[in-house]
Amino acid sequence: MKVFNNKNQLSNCVDKFKTNSKAIGFVPTMGALHNGHLSLVEKGLLENDFIVVSIFVNPTQFNNKEDLERYPRTVNRDLALLETVSKSKIIVFIPSIEDIYEDKVSSEAFAFDGLEHEMEGAFRPGHFDGVGTVVKRLLEIVRPDNAYFGEKDFQQLQIIKKMIELHKLTTKIVGCAIYRADDGLAMSSRNERLKPNYRKAAPFIYKTLKDAKKKFGTDSAKEVTEWVENQFKKHELLELEYFLIADIKTLKPVKRKSTKKTYRAFIAAYADDIRLIDNIALN
Ligand code: PAF
């Protein structure tokens, strides 16, 4: 498996693929890979000749310094995992900070038609400017035909699609279904840090989302939200940060249900000091 540690090497390799009209897929990651990431790579391999997987813990998207410091870094294990998927069709790109930020580690300011103001944007100030900055720069280096993002970070997915539209970039953004553990917990690099009792409790998040989906068939968004908030109040280990039912296009909270719109329920909760997010399609 080819591993490139700087952007010029990667760019030369991409040039060769482009000359030979090879389709390039891209899976950007922050490492600490799990089966969710591998499912994106596998989907990408079905639709492209080669897949570039980037591993870069992007400092500008962390609004909390401790969260950045504690973010798991497991490059050797990540490489071994990727090799189990393909040795010949995966190119790993591990850029340096300078490759992405040159001498100034800061975000560009983006506007994503308001998508950035809700949920993760409201609770993690600056987060989406950091994500927008790194993804735009990675796309400029990798120049992929298709890029794969998981629906666990649904708001991020919608924001990246918006960035492609607003900046007239040519990469097609492909959203991929949430990959879950057998007990329903959405796969996340953060799950590794959960203490056993919190790991055991965490599937409550998805269970509550599924129950909320059932209730949304008959109840209003307000009633469902109150019900979810109460469920978490009663829970001994998990602390709800937000629950929101939103229109998938605008990500604005639903006021009155309409059969013409498509909704999703979004949740963020703390298990000890670890923040977990999840979401579910409602209709
Ligand atoms: O989803 C992630 O892991 C990150 O936000 C991404 C897209 C790799 C940008 O750093």
Side-chain angles (χ1 to χ4, degrees):
M1 198 168 61
K2 285 200 180 83
V3 180
F4 295 116
N5 292 99
N6 80 57
K7 70 174 173 188
N8 295 333
Q9 291 169 347
L10 190 272
S11 200
N12 289 341
C13 174
V14 169
D15 286 342
K16 283 195 197 114
F17 290 152
K18 297 265 174 204
T19 317
N20 295 315
S21 305
K22 301 289 186 202
I24 304 170
F26 179 37
V27 178
T29 82
M30 299 206 296
L33 301 185
H34 49 68
N35 287 340
H37 293 113
L38 299 189
S39 73
L40 303 183
V41 175
E42 276 160 7
K43 185 167 165 64
L45 280 170
L46 298 175
E47 299 171 356
N48 303 272
D49 297 304
F50 292 92
I51 295 293
V52 177
V53 177
S54 63
I55 299 178
F56 180 69
V57 181
N58 173 35
T60 63
Q61 72 187 75
F62 287 82
N63 54 313
N64 176 331
K65 205 168 151 256
E66 276 167 26
D67 196 22
L68 169 62
E69 275 159 16
R70 286 190 307 222
Y71 203 83
R73 288 156 173 90
T74 57
V75 172
N76 290 337
R77 207 186 73 186
D78 294 346
L79 297 179
L81 271 178
L82 289 171
E83 279 203 336
T84 65
V85 180
S86 168
K87 282 197 171 107
S88 57
K89 297 193 165 192
I90 297 176
I91 286 100
V92 184
F93 178 36
I94 310 181
S96 64
I97 286 274
E98 294 75 34
D99 277 331
I100 305 295
Y101 288 104
E102 299 186 348
D103 52 5
K104 194 162 176 269
V105 185
S106 61
S107 309
E108 291 166 49
F110 285 93
F112 299 109
D113 274 1
L115 294 177
E116 70 278 23
H117 298 318
E118 308 296 332
M119 303 185 280
E120 296 303 284
F123 284 91
R124 303 182 66 188
H127 172 67
F128 287 122
D129 280 341
V131 171
T133 303
V134 75
V135 171
K136 188 157 161 281
R137 292 181 189 180
L138 285 167
L139 290 176
E140 281 159 6
I141 300 169
V142 179
R143 292 167 280 153
D145 299 284
N146 303 297
Y148 297 82
F149 291 83
E151 286 184 342
K152 183 173 82 69
D153 297 294
F154 192 85
Q155 188 174 14
Q156 165 174 282
L157 169 66
Q158 298 301 69
I159 279 179
I160 303 294
K161 284 185 181 164
K162 183 60 75 180
M163 182 173 79
I164 295 283
E165 181 193 317
L166 295 175
H167 293 260
K168 301 194 173 50
L169 306 177
T170 53
T171 300
K172 181 180 160 209
I173 303 299
V174 184
C176 305
I178 300 175
Y179 195 95
R180 298 184 181 280
D182 290 343
D183 58 12
L185 179 64
M187 286 282 185
S188 161
S189 305
R190 291 192 161 89
N191 296 353
E192 285 181 28
R193 291 181 36 232
L194 290 169
K195 290 187 195 122
N197 54 337
Y198 286 94
R199 174 63 190 81
K200 213 167 153 221
F204 179 80
I205 296 172
Y206 182 50
K207 183 186 169 300
T208 309
L209 280 177
K210 283 192 297 184
D211 290 345
K213 177 177 177 145
K214 266 191 223 136
K215 287 194 176 295
F216 191 65
T218 49
D219 298 0
S220 70
K222 189 168 174 272
E223 284 162 338
V224 177
T225 306
E226 279 167 11
W227 180 82
V228 170
E229 286 169 356
N230 276 326
Q231 297 309 105
F232 274 87
K233 266 184 207 141
K234 287 187 255 164
H235 199 285
E236 282 172 11
L237 290 177
L238 303 175
E239 199 185 315
L240 184 67
E241 184 171 63
Y242 65 75
F243 172 83
L244 196 89
I245 297 178
D247 177 325
I248 63 159
K249 287 217 179 101
T250 61
L251 298 182
K252 293 264 176 281
V254 50
K255 294 219 171 77
R256 191 176 308 151
K257 276 197 261 183
S258 153
T259 49
K260 295 195 190 88
K261 291 187 176 162
T262 309
Y263 301 111
R264 253 176 134 94
F266 297 86
I267 207 163
Y270 276 94
D272 203 3
D273 57 344
I274 299 169
R275 190 170 180 277
L276 300 172
I277 61 170
D278 201 349
N279 66 81
I280 193 168
L282 295 179
N283 61 341

